[in-house]
Each structure stands twice: as structure tokens, then as C-alpha cells.
Amino acid sequence: MQQTQARVNIYALMSRILLQELDIDTLKMIKKDENILDFFPTFKDWEALKEIDEAKLLDEYINPDFVNLSILHLIPYESFYVREDQMVETGGANPVTDMYSAYNFMVDYEASRTVSSDHIGVELEFMHHLCQAELKAMEDEDLESVKEIREVQHEFLNKHLIKWAPLYLINMKFEARTPLYYDAAEMALEFILSDNEYLTQESK
């Protein structure tokens, strides 16, 4: 159960960082939590983090970098990477929407400010949603549901995130201008691959 709780937390953190700009509360939370900072070693040692106040750090460094990585230079949508025409599928034909609907996951486009349901932050949020469902099934001692939910997680990773997110995250790491997004790209890449390995082992 501890492993599943850790997975819930990591997917939530990655989704939040990759989905939209940070606010001051989130930045303060990351700065104060040593467990989180351990995932961001370059960011943890960043001089600007110690010397510049949060509002200025967000306005002049961190959030412009997010815009650069998610809107201006890179495209964080699965359909861009998997479609031959490199178009972002904004309609109901997007393949992820069937899985979202089947597991009661709704995308709040206004809150997330995404144009499509296959944004990397939304796909990570869906994995968070599934891990939470797994945790609840564990608490209810419903082992059959735990097994089924893990199979869905494994399927989603292999049909979706694993197919394209590594390429986006490698590009993101290369393009990042701040240690936060450099570390976030590396962490997300390593975690998605290791979580897939974990689910593969659990399914045997």
C-alpha cells in the first residue's frame, strides 16, 4: 500500500508541474518538502531559489520557461507525436478519451487550459486517478479490483504515455532554461519507465 501511495503522490506532482504554470503556494510547497526536493537535485541547489523571492522567481524564470516548453517551442500532446500529419486531435476521436470515459475521468479543459485530452499533464493525471482507485481497492481488500486496475494502468502506459512521452521529455530536458523543468523532465522520464517495469512485474 505504501508503494501505491507513493505512486499516487508522484503522478500528482508530475501532472501538476507539467500541466500549467506554478503558483506561489505550489512553489513554496516544493521548496519546503525535502522528500520532493530529493527528486529535483539541480533545482534544490539552484542559487536563484535561495536568493530571489518566489513571486519574482515565478514571473521572470520558472513560468516563462513553462510557456517556452509547453506552448512556444514544444508540443506536449500525444496526437502530435503519433499521427502522421502531426496534428493535435482536439475532438472526440482522440484515442485517450475512450479510456477516460470508461474509468470516470473527466478533463476540465478550462481549469487545465489544454486544447486536447492527450496533453502529457492530463495523461499523468489519469494515471494518478487510476492509482487512487487502486489504493481504495487495497483499503477495501478487494484484490480482484487491485489486479484489474493495475492491468488498466499498464495498458494505458503502453498504449499511450510510453509511446510518445519519452521523446517529449527528452526534448523538454534539452530545451529547459531552469533547473525545475530540467529535473522534472528527467524525473518524469525515469518514473514512467520504472513504473511500467513495476507494473510488468506485478502482472506476472
Side-chain angles (χ1 to χ4, degrees):
M1 197 177 286
Q2 200 173 354
Q3 170 89 358
T4 304
Q5 183 63 65
R7 294 173 63 237
V8 167
N9 295 343
I10 292 170
Y11 274 118
L13 178 65
M14 291 193 306
S15 172
R16 173 63 191 88
I17 289 173
L18 297 180
L19 193 55
Q20 53 191 209
E21 297 97 331
L22 293 192
D23 52 35
I24 283 184
D25 289 341
T26 308
L27 178 59
K28 284 181 176 176
M29 181 268 292
I30 293 170
K31 279 177 70 174
K32 286 177 183 171
D33 192 320
E34 283 297 323
N35 291 325
I36 292 178
L37 283 175
D38 285 343
F39 289 115
F40 300 91
T42 319
F43 179 66
K44 186 178 180 178
D45 294 336
W46 189 26
E47 285 302 314
L49 192 63
K50 305 175 184 81
E51 295 169 1
I52 300 172
D53 75 83
E54 281 103 355
K56 186 175 181 182
L57 201 61
L58 288 175
D59 290 346
E60 296 184 16
Y61 297 89
I62 293 174
N63 288 341
D65 196 24
F66 176 87
V67 171
N68 173 56
L69 294 168
S70 299
I71 299 165
L72 298 180
H73 287 144
L74 300 179
I75 300 175
Y77 293 95
E78 177 183 341
S79 43
F80 173 79
Y81 287 86
V82 300
R83 281 174 58 137
E84 285 185 15
D85 60 5
Q86 293 191 312
M87 295 291 286
V88 174
E89 175 54 72
T90 57
N94 198 303
V96 295
T97 54
D98 290 342
M99 286 195 81
Y100 291 172
S101 300
Y103 298 97
N104 301 316
F105 179 74
M106 298 287 291
V107 181
D108 186 339
Y109 291 101
E110 194 173 339
S112 64
R113 301 208 315 279
T114 55
V115 298
S116 173
S117 56
D118 63 354
H119 186 286
I120 190 168
V122 177
E123 292 196 3
L124 291 167
E125 191 180 339
F126 180 59
M127 284 298 294
H128 169 251
H129 172 78
L130 292 175
C131 289
Q132 280 187 311
E134 180 191 333
L135 192 61
K136 185 175 187 314
M138 284 177 146
E139 289 165 353
D140 295 342
E141 298 182 358
D142 184 351
L143 299 182
E144 190 59 39
S145 290
V146 169
K147 185 173 180 291
E148 286 174 13
I149 294 164
R150 281 185 183 157
E151 285 169 1
V152 175
Q153 293 168 13
H154 199 214
E155 180 188 358
F156 187 76
L157 276 176
N158 283 282
K159 280 190 174 177
H160 298 287
L161 277 162
I162 295 283
K163 278 191 171 176
W164 72 280
L167 185 56
Y168 171 72
L169 292 166
I170 288 165
N171 289 336
M172 178 181 163
K173 186 177 169 182
F174 182 75
E175 292 277 345
R177 296 173 183 171
T178 61
L180 175 67
Y181 290 107
Y182 177 89
D183 285 350
E186 186 160 13
M187 173 201 173
L189 178 59
E190 287 179 8
F191 181 72
I192 289 167
L193 297 175
S194 67
D195 199 45
N196 189 48
E197 207 171 291
Y198 164 74
L199 290 167
T200 302
Q201 291 299 321
E202 290 296 305
S203 66
K204 286 180 180 175

